């Protein structure tokens, strides 16, 4: 945030029903369910941990909450997804274009966040990703 006025953290969301991706995720195999809390010790086997949608959903929620609760920098905006909702610090006046959101993939959800940032007056937007799908969507 040092050289930016806004940072959006966007995670995948794992729908419990009606998911187009559920079959693909189920084919990846089963992992081990672990609770994600500040006091919990996470498994060293990240491969098995990440096979369980509830693990990832809980991890993403935990990270969003921890980051938004620990960072409050004057004149900076932090927006993080939390399931279908968003958390912002300081509180955004209008998040109707961001939440609730039923996009499962962060790929498409990032585009909503970029558009929302533009509506708030941001004219330069940087999207950091290692996913070529996001690059194609952004073009």
């Amino acid at each position: 945030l040092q050289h930016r006025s806004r940072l959006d953290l966007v995670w995948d969301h794992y729908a419990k029903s009606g998911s187009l991706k559920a079959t693909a995720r189920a084919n990846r195999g089963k992992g081990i369910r672990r609770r994600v809390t500040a006091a919990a010790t996470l498994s060293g086997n990240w491969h098995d941990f990440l096979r369980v949608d509830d693990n990832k959903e809980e991890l993403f929620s935990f990270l969003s909450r921890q980051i938004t609760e620990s960072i409050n920098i004057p004149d900076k905006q932090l927006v993080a997804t939390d399931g279908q909702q968003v958390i912002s610090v300081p509180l955004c006046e209008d998040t109707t274009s961001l939440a609730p959101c039923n996009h499962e993939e962060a790929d498409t959800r990032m585009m909503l966040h970029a558009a929302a940032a533009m509506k708030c007056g941001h004219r330069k937007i940087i999207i950091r990703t290692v996913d070529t799908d996001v690059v194609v969507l952004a073009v």
Side-chain angles (χ1 to χ4, degrees):
L1 281 173
Q2 184 178 4
H3 301 289
R4 306 290 175 253
S5 57
R6 176 176 166 150
L7 174 66
D8 287 57
L9 299 172
V10 182
W11 314 102
D12 285 344
H13 166 65
Y14 301 92
K16 301 292 181 212
S17 64
S19 169
L20 296 173
K21 305 252 334 172
T23 303
R25 289 193 301 265
N27 289 337
R28 293 182 188 143
K30 299 214 182 271
I32 300 167
R33 175 69 173 116
R34 301 267 187 215
R35 300 297 307 184
V36 180
T37 66
T41 302
L42 292 179
S43 168
N45 188 343
W46 281 98
H47 189 64
D48 281 348
F49 176 83
L50 294 174
R51 284 183 173 172
V52 179
D53 291 347
D54 287 340
N55 288 348
K56 292 182 281 188
E57 189 87 18
E58 200 167 83
L59 175 64
F60 299 155
S61 180
F62 175 79
L63 291 172
S64 289
R65 291 180 186 286
Q66 290 296 307
I67 291 167
T68 55
E69 289 171 8
S70 64
I71 295 177
N72 192 357
I73 304 170
D75 302 321
K76 305 290 183 177
Q77 180 80 48
L78 176 60
V79 180
T81 61
D82 185 11
Q84 291 185 338
Q85 302 303 316
V86 293
I87 305 169
S88 66
V89 176
L91 193 60
C92 285
E93 290 180 25
D94 181 17
T95 59
T96 56
S97 64
L98 299 176
C101 181
N102 63 358
H103 291 240
E104 286 187 85
E105 295 282 328
D107 304 18
T108 55
R109 204 168 181 181
M110 282 184 216
M111 301 308 121
L112 296 177
H113 281 256
M118 288 180 65
K119 279 178 64 176
C120 289
H122 299 279
R123 295 293 166 240
K124 292 182 181 180
I125 296 176
I126 298 170
I127 298 173
R128 291 197 64 177
T129 182
V130 295
D131 193 337
T132 55
D133 293 352
V134 174
V135 175
V136 171
L137 287 170
V139 173

